[in-house]
Amino acid sequence: MSEVLADITEDAFLGGQLLLKQKRSGHRAGHDAILLAAATEARGGDRVVDLGAGIGTAGLALARRVAGISLSLVEIDPELAELARANAAANAIAAEAIVLDVTADAQAFAAHGLVPDSVDSVLMNPPFNDPARHRGSPDQARQIAHVATDDTLDAWVHAARRILRSNGVLTLIWRADGIAEVLAALSRGFGSLSILPVHGEAGRPAIRVLVRAVKGGRAPTRLLPGLVLNDESRVPKKEVRNILEGRAVLQLAEP
């Protein structure tokens, strides 16, 4: 790495199949990224872009499952991009880490080889906390990673739509109470939506939605049975443990 980053931890994901270094403070990789990877359909040879990749968790988890993808990790924070680059190398995964603002224009994307209509699959975990209800962190990096502005989702979906080829697939995770925002953003250029609600516990409202959308798709929207993360004892259910440990995928990832 170009500089020594203090206060770094190394954490195991996918049941130890993926070891990732990340900063102890600020945004920390967790279940959302692994669920996103498990919801993303890809095949060997596909060009895949992880927008807002952070330390690379979701993209690298996907690459661990699907061999032979061409993976680009796009991240605005140079330190996190450096960690993503190092994490890919340490796990023997071929991936490029690109320092780039997801909201940048087409010319900025093209300068990094991300030209329009060139990508098979995009996955993304945008900042999604509502600033009106979320007390922002004094840590600027954590604030950027977590808190959405009014146009965050539209801008990120626009970036994905621009680089995806026709019939390319976007997979994203967002807070469940913002599903109307997701549907509105995807109404421009996407269709064939599949929506998976994610519940922390049975009988409780969903906390996340995972959404698969096809550029130019025309099939009806599908609302899938919800995924419940924890049992009555608040312990992850067996099917969820299998997903988090890399032994299973979510229905969205199945062709």
Side-chain angles (χ1 to χ4, degrees):
M1 298 176 65
S2 62
E3 61 180 9
V4 176
L5 296 175
D7 212 15
I8 298 294
T9 66
E10 184 175 69
D11 302 288
F13 294 86
L14 301 179
Q17 299 178 62
L18 196 62
L19 297 177
L20 301 178
K21 287 185 168 66
Q22 59 181 326
K23 298 171 73 172
R24 192 182 302 276
S25 59
H27 178 65
R28 299 273 297 173
H31 289 177
D32 281 2
I34 300 303
L35 291 175
L36 176 61
T40 301
E41 176 188 346
R43 298 178 177 85
D46 282 356
R47 189 176 190 195
V48 178
V49 176
D50 182 356
L51 293 180
I55 63 164
T57 312
L60 295 176
L62 176 62
R64 179 60 81 218
R65 187 183 93 231
V66 183
I69 63 173
S70 174
L71 177 63
S72 297
L73 306 168
V74 174
E75 171 55 42
I76 190 173
D77 185 324
E79 288 188 347
L80 294 182
E82 186 86 356
L83 281 170
R85 186 177 296 111
N87 283 332
N91 286 276
I93 294 172
E96 62 171 348
I98 298 170
V99 179
L100 179 64
D101 185 344
V102 174
T103 65
D105 61 19
Q107 185 175 0
F109 270 72
H112 292 280
L114 299 175
V115 299
D117 307 309
S118 65
V119 171
D120 298 292
S121 178
V122 171
L123 63 160
M124 64 187 195
N125 179 10
F128 54 56
N129 284 321
D130 184 346
R133 291 181 294 166
H134 181 83
R135 185 176 181 179
S137 169
D139 183 319
Q140 185 178 9
R142 190 177 182 88
Q143 177 87 351
I144 291 171
H146 284 280
V147 179
T149 63
D150 290 342
D151 60 356
T152 293
L153 186 58
D154 282 340
W156 284 51
V157 169
H158 176 73
R161 182 172 59 246
R162 188 174 59 221
I163 62 175
L164 279 167
R165 60 171 176 78
S166 181
N167 293 316
V169 176
L170 167 62
T171 309
L172 65 88
I173 188 168
W174 193 257
R175 65 179 200 279
D177 65 2
I179 183 61
E181 302 163 37
V182 174
L183 296 177
L186 293 174
S187 68
R188 294 178 289 277
F190 286 96
S192 306
L193 273 57
S194 297
I195 303 169
L196 175 65
V198 179
H199 303 259
E201 301 173 30
R204 303 287 294 175
I207 57 175
R208 299 283 187 270
V209 285
L210 285 154
V211 183
R212 178 186 187 274
V214 178
K215 182 177 176 179
R218 296 184 179 276
T221 294
R222 299 188 305 155
L223 181 61
L224 302 173
L227 174 71
V228 178
L229 298 179
N230 300 315
D231 62 20
E232 297 82 356
S233 303
R234 298 187 177 180
V235 174
K237 299 177 72 172
K238 182 178 179 181
E239 64 175 308
V240 175
R241 292 199 305 271
N242 286 339
I243 292 164
L244 296 178
E245 294 175 6
R247 295 192 297 269
V249 298
L250 290 164
Q251 186 177 350
L252 296 179
E254 296 172 352

